[in-house]
Structure formats: C-alpha cells, structure tokens
Amino acid sequence: MTDTVIRALTASDASLFDAHPDPLGAREGHRRTRFRPDWKRVALRDGEVVARGAWWGGPDDPEPVNINWFDVAEGEEEAGAELLRSAPWRVELEINLPGGWRDDPALRTAAEARFGAARAAGYALLVERFLYRWTPERGLPERPGRLRFSAEADDEVFRDALRRIHSVTLDAHALRAIEEGGVDRAAQEELDFFHWCPSPREWWQVAHTPDGDLAGIHIPAHNPSGPTIGFIGVVPEHRGHGYAYDLLAECTHVLVEQGAEFVSGATDRGNFPMAANFTKAGFPVVSERINFHPVDRVDRVDRVDPVDPTDPVDPVDPVDPTV
C-alpha cells in the first residue's frame, strides 16, 4: 500500500474536498455552514481522497473551535487518524449522523470507521447528542405563563445563575469544564459562548417565579448557522416543576418574534426530560451528534451508545447545531 499524503487545501483547490463519497449526508447538514478553504484538509492515497476534515469557526475566530465534518473511507482509519494527528489544531470533533444510524448496517459501518480513526488519533468519546429543528408548520409552543421573563444587563447575574445551574449537573461539556477549573470555569465558558454568538446581548433573559425567586435563564441566540436555543437552565432549588419547558417555549417565541424561520437546538442523549420538553414544544429530532475531545492519553475503552444518565436538570447548550 502506498503512503498517505496529507494535504491542506487552498481556495484554488478546495474542490478536492468534494472528491469523496458522502454516505452520512454531511453535505445536506452543512448547507448553511461556511467553511474556510484553508481549514480543510484531505488524506490522499494514489491521488484519491481517502479521508477529509473541515475545521470550523466563526468569521472572526483566529483558529477553529471544532471539526464538524470528518469522513474516512472504509479500511482507511489510519489515514483518517493521521489527518487528525497532523493538523495544527487540537479541538473538539463533532460527527453528525442521520437519525436511526445504529439500525442501518451501511451507516453504522461508516460511522464506526470515523470513530475508530478518532480514537487512533487520541480522541475520546465525550457525549452523544440529539439535534432538533423547529419549523413554523409545527406551531409555536404554548407559553404556560407561570414565570416572569425579563432582560438583564448585568453579566454577573447570569454568571451567578450559571454557577448554581452547573453545581448539580450531568451535562458532559459542563462536567469537563468543572473538572478542569470548577464551576467558575464552566460558567465562564458559557458566558464566552453567549458573547461569541452574533446575536444581540439584549436577547438574554432571566425568569422569576411569581414570588420573585430566580427560576432560571434562557438565551435565544444566533450562531453562524442560524437561530438556535443557545442555553436553557433551571437553578437547583426550582427543579422538579417542569420550568425547563417554560424556558424553551419562551426562547422559541423570542427567536420567532425576531424573525426566525426555523430554530435549532440540541441536548445530551441521556437527558430524557429535556428531550421530552423538545418533543412537547414541537422540536423533532433531525439528526444525532457524537462529540469526541482530544486527550493526551486514552486510558479507558470508550464506545458509542453509553449508559444514559437520567439527570432531569441538565441545561441545553449547543455550540454549532447545523440542522
């Protein structure tokens, strides 16, 4: 077998990225995604593309924030791993998959080739997520009217709420941030994301009970791919009342009032209550996402389809839902 050639692309040869089959339908999922040609890389063998990756970030980001298009030909896992290992960036890897991929042998084989390449490159499974998309024919979710919503200009109010929300959570991204730097780190990462989104700061809202207690927060947002449920979180002392649905409904209404023709969202696969809220609010699952993160050493065997946690209070906080 001839050696693999790893090649970074430019604007003049970016079309080479398209010279590869698309069994998982990534192209359709990325219709609204804007990739920079120089953040695309391919692995070639005998002049044929056997693996490809597209790193992604916002229009003003100096470096990518993740890899959200990664393909590997069957039997070319090592080429895919070398593509990831040789890249100048070590960022989170997102593999988007059609719904029901586990039950389709061809889709499962294609997905597992990507998982194998990611593990060989030093990436470990972080979480599986459901991706949702609301469209107008679904009808707007009913506002229960139990909470009072208002804008809040002080970031410290949101920071404090985020600390409380993340003090008890099984959300995979929050748990990783807490492990690395405590709840303050987790709260700051959320705030950084909210400010990164190209949507007005004035959209952020707090929610209070009729007695004036803070119940939670919601962040209607736009990322570069369109309108999205940026964050929903209920503080621990007010969980168990179903307020996450109230927040989701309000967030959806705010985005539609601002002109959204669709609204995307995502939540961890094991967050059954939040998944139920999305269903209740008229958000169908349109695809799934497997998140891998780079690690120096993988000292456990991870696998897709892990045991599902049942925390009913995990927030929903997508980074780049391209659905």
Side-chain angles (χ1 to χ4, degrees), residues 246-266:
D246 302 49
L247 294 167
L248 176 59
E250 189 66 22
C251 197
T252 306
H253 275 264
V254 170
L255 287 167
V256 171
E257 289 164 3
Q258 296 299 327
E261 297 180 356
F262 70 92
V263 179
S264 62

Side-chain angles (χ1 to χ4, degrees), residues 98-110:
W101 63 272
R102 292 172 180 80
D103 300 322
D104 184 310
L107 292 179
R108 187 167 189 128
T109 296

Side-chain angles (χ1 to χ4, degrees), residues 203-254:
W203 289 3
W204 305 8
Q205 290 193 342
V206 293
H208 290 87
T209 69
D211 294 332
D213 291 340
L214 179 70
I217 63 174
H218 76 92
I219 310 295
H222 271 240
N223 63 30
S225 298
T228 186
I229 305 297
F231 186 90
I232 287 172
V234 178
V235 297
E237 59 268 33
H238 283 292
R239 292 169 181 170
H241 304 294
Y243 286 150
Y245 173 80
D246 302 49
L247 294 167
L248 176 59
E250 189 66 22
C251 197
T252 306
H253 275 264
V254 170

Side-chain angles (χ1 to χ4, degrees), residues 163-176:
R163 289 192 193 102
R164 292 158 67 182
I165 290 165
H166 286 322
S167 67
V168 183
T169 184
L170 289 180
D171 178 80
H173 286 89
L175 284 174
R176 184 179 62 177

Side-chain angles (χ1 to χ4, degrees), residues 287-302:
S287 59
E288 298 183 34
R289 172 174 293 162
I290 313 297
N291 292 72
F292 286 84
H293 65 119
V295 292
D296 293 330
R297 178 174 59 88
V298 180
D299 55 8
R300 64 184 174 84
V301 176
D302 59 6

Side-chain angles (χ1 to χ4, degrees), residues 146-225:
R146 299 185 298 168
L147 300 174
R148 298 200 307 266
F149 296 94
S150 61
E152 171 55 62
D154 188 353
D155 274 13
E156 288 306 312
V157 173
F158 287 95
R159 191 188 310 277
D160 179 66
L162 288 163
R163 289 192 193 102
R164 292 158 67 182
I165 290 165
H166 286 322
S167 67
V168 183
T169 184
L170 289 180
D171 178 80
H173 286 89
L175 284 174
R176 184 179 62 177
I178 291 168
E179 182 179 354
E180 294 172 349
V183 292
D184 286 343
R185 168 76 170 268
Q188 187 60 53
E189 285 191 1
E190 302 289 7
L191 282 173
D192 290 345
F193 166 63
F194 303 157
H195 282 294
W196 174 87
C197 289
S199 45
R201 168 65 176 78
E202 293 76 18
W203 289 3
W204 305 8
Q205 290 193 342
V206 293
H208 290 87
T209 69
D211 294 332
D213 291 340
L214 179 70
I217 63 174
H218 76 92
I219 310 295
H222 271 240
N223 63 30
S225 298

